[in-house]
Amino acid sequence: MSTTIPIGPFHPVLEEPEYITLQVEGETVVSADIELGRIHRGMELLAEEKTFDQDVFLVERICGICSASHSWTATLAMEDIAGITVPDRARYLRTIVHELERLHSHMLWVGLAGHIIGYWTVFMWGWKYREPVLDALEAITGNRNNYAWYCPGGVRRDVPDDIWPPIVKAMDEFAEKTNLLIDVILNDPVILCRLKGVGILSKEDAIAYGVLGPTARGSGVDIDVRRDESYGAYDEVDWKVIVQPDGDCLAVGVVRLLEMIEATKIIKQCIKKLPKGEIRNEVREIPRGEGIGHIEAPRGECFHFIRSNGTNMPERHKMRAPTFLNIPSYRPRVKGETISDATLIFAVIDPCYSCTERMAAIDSDGSRVANGHDLIKLSHQRTEWLRKNL
Amino acid sequence: MNATKWGFKKSLWVFHLNAGACNNCDIEVLDCLCPKFDIERFGMKLVGSLKHADVLLVSGSVPRRVVPDLIEAYEQLPQPGVVIAIGACACTGGIFKDGYNFAGPVDKHVPVAAYVPGCPPRPEAIIGAVVKLLGKL
Ligand code: SF4
């Protein structure tokens, strides 16, 4: 006989509201379900009511941790429509901020994972080492989060040369501290038994579920937009894609930890090679047309589609964040694990529900019912019904 | 000294509620815990259950779906308890105030004792708000 355990919607493990139901037999999880929708803010419609310039600020606020990723993706899509190129200096500056964001996002996950397995030392360490990254971001962009750094055609502000030496130093220290953390995590028997072999996602499942980012790379799927369809300055610096074959929680953690080391390398090389010159090409108009942008956000591929009708507002702005594809992968992962591991398994993809809350209505037979036409039809039906019955 | 004052004098315990925030405000709240800001030295602590909390920190623009949850959470908060709205979203709705799913801001549904504007407010601002509020109570 199975029992249902409800978790949420407000619980101390993850910061965001979501409602998880676990079906358990004894201590073993038989199945799990997740209910979302509490952070749906109507982003896509709001984006259509703002100008292209304002849109960049809006998409930054889809998710606080990926604010650089979303705004870069949106500007890439706009540049795609207008056929604008970006000055070299801007490409490098964009890459630096994006990699700094990856550093703080991954470090945040490491800390949270420590918190979830009850290892507060790791939480405190992780969050302590994360602060210099935020300081670096503040020095470059002016804010700790929500940087307002990207704009169609380039970046918004130039930075003086004398801010780089402290940042390079901070990166060296960060890499050193990350190596220390890697040592601690890989050699601590307590952490190993909480992570190793827990929540395995096989390579086949990873491909079948279409997972992205570190979740996929932790299961041995070798994908990374930064290398596969390079953008920014990634093809001009030396770095490598981290892949781990095991698919368990430890493998995903190791991917994130090693990626941080790679990110510090990318940042240092970018700072060294940083070209001089313009930071922004002028954008006079966004013509009629369609464009896409996709980049490798800390959690996986982030994708934006924009259709412009020649006015100064987008006609359609579709956003898809990586967590949207990563969430369903908890199903094969959680089966047969214990309750205490379930929270970790839900957190291993580094879920970001505020990124994910786009409209998606699915019929019981699996077919998709709600595209634009269906919604209009539904609203007509509803009006008809109201007229008749009221 | 009345009971409220006495109760709020030391060791405030804080519950943090994300009512449709973009995560940044929440992370800045968590940041207050980390060694750089370390609010635990004032006895303040983030707790996992509402029933243990004195202060409810609410962030986010309050989409429709969260409204009943927010009201229920406020009713569960042991009295005397105060609500602090964190971030531009919670104070006014911020960039989301024209959204069709916007049902806030927070003070439309529950009484708010202090507002911390900013997108996101810095951890110093959050700590400052709590300290200032304590002086006023
Ligand atoms: S105030 Fe800004 S940072 Fe805070 S939740 Fe709203 S959009 Fe995010």
Side-chain angles (χ1 to χ4, degrees):
Chain A
M1 202 199 71
S2 71
T3 323
T4 309
I5 300 184
I7 305 176
F10 301 103
H11 55 86
V13 177
L14 303 169
E15 314 99 83
E16 290 167 289
E18 74 283 303
Y19 185 66
I20 300 170
T21 38
L22 292 178
Q23 298 283 343
V24 295
E25 264 169 25
E27 226 203 331
T28 315
V29 179
V30 206
S31 71
D33 213 344
I34 190 163
E35 186 201 304
L36 300 173
R38 282 182 176 75
I39 324 185
H40 177 73
R41 291 156 294 176
M43 276 289 176
E44 292 186 2
L45 199 72
L46 271 174
E48 289 156 26
E49 292 161 2
K50 297 202 184 308
T51 63
F52 286 105
D53 257 341
Q54 293 170 331
D55 243 12
V56 182
F57 299 117
L58 179 74
V59 296
E60 263 186 357
R61 284 156 180 82
I62 291 177
C63 160
I65 317 175
C66 297
S67 52
S69 314
H70 278 292
S71 46
W72 196 0
T73 320
T75 45
L76 276 181
M78 291 169 197
E79 285 154 10
D80 185 19
I81 302 174
I84 309 163
T85 51
V86 178
D88 284 342
R89 185 172 173 85
R91 273 194 303 124
Y92 274 78
L93 287 173
R94 284 176 167 194
T95 312
I96 292 172
V97 169
H98 190 224
E99 284 308 303
L100 281 169
E101 179 182 83
R102 191 181 316 279
L103 281 184
H104 94 71
S105 169
H106 282 357
M107 203 40 130
L108 182 140
W109 180 84
V110 171
L112 279 185
H115 163 59
I116 289 166
I117 61 176
Y119 214 123
W120 265 72
T121 322
V122 172
F123 172 83
M124 288 295 178
W125 277 6
W127 285 60
K128 185 167 102 189
Y129 303 147
R130 185 175 160 265
E131 281 301 318
V133 181
L134 292 180
D135 291 343
L137 278 168
E138 195 179 356
I140 299 174
T141 67
N143 202 0
R144 290 159 58 90
N145 322 75
N146 290 351
Y147 320 105
W149 180 244
Y150 298 82
C151 66
V155 296
R156 214 165 276 281
R157 282 179 295 271
D158 205 352
V159 282
D161 283 338
D162 57 356
I163 66 166
W164 299 118
I167 293 176
V168 173
K169 191 162 154 259
M171 287 304 109
D172 284 335
E173 279 167 14
F174 188 90
E176 198 183 299
K177 295 293 174 358
T178 311
N179 279 326
L180 186 92
L181 262 181
I182 295 175
D183 259 5
V184 169
I185 289 173
L186 296 186
N187 292 321
D188 189 319
V190 180
I191 295 185
L192 281 186
C193 46
R194 283 305 304 273
L195 298 182
K196 204 167 172 56
V198 170
I200 294 179
L201 181 72
S202 64
K203 189 170 176 182
E204 292 72 43
D205 277 343
I207 292 170
Y209 278 83
V211 294
L212 299 165
T215 317
R217 293 195 285 275
S219 293
V221 186
D222 188 5
I223 48 168
D224 194 317
V225 188
R226 289 177 290 171
R227 178 199 60 198
D228 301 339
E229 281 181 52
S230 189
Y231 55 95
Y234 288 109
D235 49 355
E236 290 158 34
V237 291
D238 181 34
W239 61 285
K240 56 180 190 289
V241 178
I242 308 286
V243 182
Q244 293 277 322
D246 299 340
D248 54 1
C249 292
L250 182 68
V252 183
V254 171
V255 168
R256 291 214 170 89
L257 285 164
L258 295 178
E259 257 177 29
M260 285 196 280
I261 305 272
E262 292 301 314
T264 55
K265 279 192 213 156
I266 297 176
I267 295 167
K268 278 194 293 187
Q269 291 176 55
C270 283
I271 293 178
K272 206 162 151 205
K273 285 188 172 177
L274 188 65
K276 296 244 179 309
E278 286 293 306
I279 54 157
R280 187 174 182 181
N281 283 343
E282 196 182 15
V283 182
R284 288 225 160 250
E285 57 160 7
I286 308 275
R288 181 184 284 273
E290 294 181 348
I292 59 160
H294 63 152
I295 65 163
E296 183 79 16
R299 290 159 185 73
E301 181 188 353
C302 174
F303 179 89
H304 281 222
F305 164 82
I306 298 181
R307 184 191 297 141
S308 156
N309 54 6
T311 59
N312 62 348
M313 293 183 192
E315 192 176 45
R316 177 86 178 94
H317 191 158
K318 165 81 194 151
M319 313 128 185
R320 198 215 59 198
T323 308
F324 190 73
L325 289 157
N326 285 343
I327 287 178
S329 72
Y330 71 83
R331 278 183 190 248
R333 276 205 152 125
V334 84
K335 216 177 230 163
E337 301 290 347
T338 60
I339 302 171
S340 51
D341 290 334
T343 37
L344 180 65
I345 289 169
F346 274 96
V348 78
I349 59 164
D350 200 358
C352 174
Y353 299 118
S354 51
C355 278
T356 309
E357 309 266 16
R358 305 280 90 76
M359 168 88 190
I362 310 281
D363 217 349
S364 54
D365 65 1
S367 63
R368 203 173 156 142
V369 289
N371 57 25
H373 294 296
D374 295 328
L375 284 180
I376 293 169
K377 214 159 88 196
L378 275 179
S379 93
H380 283 174
Q381 280 169 2
R382 180 84 182 153
T383 323
E384 218 57 62
W385 183 89
L386 285 174
R387 274 212 199 106
K388 271 200 208 113
N389 292 292
L390 298 177
Chain B
M1 190 186 280
N2 64 23
T4 316
K5 258 203 178 140
W6 180 79
F8 277 124
K9 220 172 76 181
K10 282 180 194 153
S11 303
L12 282 188
W13 285 11
V14 175
F15 183 85
H16 161 242
L17 190 141
N18 174 331
C22 79
N23 265 336
N24 254 348
C25 283
D26 318 85
I27 288 164
E28 295 295 52
V29 166
L30 271 184
D31 242 4
C32 300
L33 278 181
C34 80
K36 184 168 173 192
F37 301 101
D38 195 15
I39 51 164
E40 283 187 2
R41 69 202 144 124
F42 303 124
M44 287 181 209
K45 194 172 135 187
L46 219 51
V47 290
S49 163
L50 255 174
K51 301 263 157 83
H52 300 160
D54 302 303
V55 180
L56 184 62
L57 297 180
V58 185
S59 56
S61 64
V62 195
R64 275 169 219 281
R65 178 114 180 255
V66 181
V67 175
D69 299 336
L70 176 65
I71 294 172
E72 197 182 326
Y74 180 71
E75 279 162 4
Q76 284 185 17
L77 182 72
Q79 293 301 332
V82 291
V83 179
I84 302 183
I86 303 279
C89 285
C91 295
T92 63
I95 202 165
F96 301 111
K97 73 174 191 312
D98 300 323
Y100 61 85
N101 212 23
F102 173 68
V106 175
D107 58 6
K108 197 164 148 198
H109 304 289
V110 297
V112 175
Y115 300 84
V116 190
C119 184
R122 303 176 60 92
E124 292 95 328
I126 298 174
I127 298 172
V130 178
V131 172
K132 252 190 205 160
L133 181 69
L134 287 186
K136 286 258 163 68
L137 280 174

